[in-house]
């Protein structure tokens, strides 16, 4: 099998959209202290580019590692925290940054878990949303792109841990040799 990647969203389109979403966040959170929580590890490029456009000097960052158990290619809904936040979010305004919302199971787990930690507010910001697979509805406050039901990679997202370094978002095609 030969792996071939087709570009779905260019780096220029990503840069424009990320700026647009950052402007919305800048407007919505004026004067508030915000903790940006990145869900590892696919979010790292998006988080880096988005945060460079956030104009408050009072924001902080934290990370959480989650792994969902998959039965075949489908998520089972069982999620485990593999690396927890470093600091408490009690009384804080939290913006969760995700690479992609697919079934919604990971985020709905995270939201329930965060509720117990008593933050002042929690909003969700995702680079990509694949609405065709949704199983658990989660309210997404900020999103960059809605994509069709295809496995995507690049710009932080992996295929078997590879391709995270691509500057664009692509779709994998497998060609028989
Ligand atoms: P959910 O719980 O919403 O089904 O899963 C979200 C997680 O599944 C994402 O954070 C990501 O790790 C993974 N995922 C879902 N769809 C894709 C995809 O098309 N490409 C990649 N690389 N990961 C995906």
């Amino acid at each position: 099998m030969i792996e071939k990647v087709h570009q779905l969203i260019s780096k220029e389109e990503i840069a424009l959209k990320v700026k647009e979403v950052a402007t919305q966040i800048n407007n919505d959170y004026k004067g508030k202290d915000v903790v940006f929580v990145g869900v590892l590890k696919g979010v790292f490029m998006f988080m880096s580019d988005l945060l460079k456009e956030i104009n408050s000097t009072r924001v902080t960052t934290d990370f959480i590692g989650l792994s969902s158990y998959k039965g075949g290619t489908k998520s089972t809904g069982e999620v485990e925290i593999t690396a927890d936040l470093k600091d408490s979010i009690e009384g804080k305004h939290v913006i969760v940054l995700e690479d992609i919302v697919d079934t919604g199971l990971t985020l709905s787990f995270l939201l329930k878990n965060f509720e117990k930690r008593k933050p002042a507010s929690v909003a969700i910001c995702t680079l990509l949303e694949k609405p065709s697979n949704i199983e658990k509805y989660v309210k997404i406050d900020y999103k960059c792109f809605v994509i069709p039901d295809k496995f995507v990679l690049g710009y932080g997202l992996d295929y078997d841990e590879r391709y995270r370094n691509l500057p664009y978002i692509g779709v994998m095609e497998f060609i028989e040799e």
Side-chain angles (χ1 to χ4, degrees):
M1 284 282 206
I2 297 172
E3 296 171 5
K4 199 170 170 209
V5 179
H6 293 277
Q7 181 175 284
L8 185 68
I9 306 169
S10 71
K11 64 179 197 182
E12 291 79 13
E13 287 173 287
I14 297 170
L16 270 177
K17 223 3 166 214
V18 168
K19 270 194 186 162
E20 218 177 282
V21 168
T23 304
Q24 290 172 28
I25 294 174
N26 282 331
N27 290 336
D28 294 350
Y29 286 84
K30 254 184 213 142
K32 286 185 183 154
D33 294 350
V34 179
V35 187
F36 285 89
V37 173
V39 180
L40 294 169
K41 54 186 174 183
V43 79
F44 74 94
M45 265 198 208
F46 174 47
M47 186 165 184
S48 156
D49 286 344
L50 183 89
L51 281 173
K52 281 179 255 178
E53 304 295 333
I54 297 296
N55 57 21
S56 165
T57 52
R58 299 169 57 129
V59 301
T60 56
T61 55
D62 210 339
F63 295 90
I64 193 158
L66 299 171
S67 83
S68 47
Y69 297 102
K70 306 231 170 182
T73 53
K74 280 203 111 189
S75 179
T76 58
E78 282 174 67
V79 183
E80 184 191 27
I81 296 178
T82 53
D84 206 353
L85 299 176
K86 194 169 157 284
D87 297 314
S88 162
I89 53 169
E90 189 171 342
K92 307 258 176 78
H93 294 288
V94 176
I95 300 181
V96 176
L97 298 179
E98 252 285 25
D99 52 357
I100 182 163
V101 181
D102 186 21
T103 60
L105 294 169
T106 305
L107 270 185
S108 85
F109 165 87
L110 188 64
L111 287 175
K112 263 199 211 126
N113 181 281
F114 274 14
E115 250 172 51
K116 293 180 212 150
R117 308 187 196 207
K118 304 196 172 19
S121 68
V122 182
I124 304 287
C125 173
T126 187
L127 173 66
L128 303 169
E129 183 195 10
K130 248 194 240 179
S132 46
N133 278 343
I134 201 76
E135 284 180 38
K136 273 253 162 78
Y137 172 79
V138 278
K139 183 174 167 278
I140 299 174
D141 302 273
Y142 306 97
K143 70 181 118 179
C144 293
F145 303 99
V146 176
I147 59 162
D149 185 14
K150 294 209 161 111
F151 189 83
V152 290
L153 46 83
Y155 195 66
L157 288 102
D158 74 312
Y159 169 69
D160 209 11
E161 286 303 322
R162 292 180 294 133
Y163 296 98
R164 291 193 196 272
N165 56 315
L166 289 182
Y168 57 86
I169 294 162
V171 176
M172 181 73 92
E173 188 195 353
F174 296 97
I175 303 163
E176 300 244 11
E177 280 179 90

